[in-house]
Amino acid sequence: MNTRTYAIWRRNILVWLALLLLLMLTFGVAHFSLGVGNVVAGLAIATIKAGLVVMIFMGLRSAKTLIKLVSAAGVFWLIFMFALTLSDVLARLANK
């Protein structure tokens, strides 16, 4: 195995171990009664896990600028759609 292949395998295994550690952290946080803190901690950990997967396994860290721009536009669009859905749900709850 050459040096480059070894480096790729090492990086992937380290990221996989980090994802497992974050999974255990998610499981641990879920068993504490933190109120709203449980949701905040869960979303923060999920964001870190998604960032690791996108940057490392999907190769966005070393992608071209156009691909980074398109992925940022996709994330913006997803946030926009979630905001519209949330506003609809809140409007329906306010009318009851």
Side-chain angles (χ1 to χ4, degrees):
M1 191 178 326
N2 62 15
T3 307
R4 181 160 190 239
T5 305
Y6 176 75
I8 291 170
W9 274 97
R10 183 174 183 268
R11 182 196 67 200
N12 287 344
I13 289 173
L14 288 174
V15 171
W16 179 69
L17 289 173
L19 288 171
L20 284 177
L21 180 69
L22 289 168
L23 175 67
M24 289 186 280
L25 184 63
T26 303
F27 184 74
V29 167
H31 286 344
F32 291 116
S33 179
L34 302 174
V36 172
N38 280 8
V39 174
V40 172
L43 287 174
I45 294 169
T47 302
I48 294 169
K49 289 191 286 190
L52 282 173
V53 169
V54 167
M55 291 295 181
I56 304 299
F57 291 133
M58 293 176 68
L60 192 61
R61 182 175 60 172
S62 61
K64 294 180 181 178
T65 307
L66 183 61
I67 294 175
K68 289 180 183 180
L69 181 65
V70 169
S71 65
V75 170
F76 174 75
W77 184 253
L78 183 66
I79 291 170
F80 180 69
M81 295 304 285
F82 279 148
L84 287 176
T85 303
L86 181 63
S87 67
D88 181 53
V89 169
L90 292 177
R92 289 172 191 248
L93 288 175
N95 288 334
K96 281 190 175 184

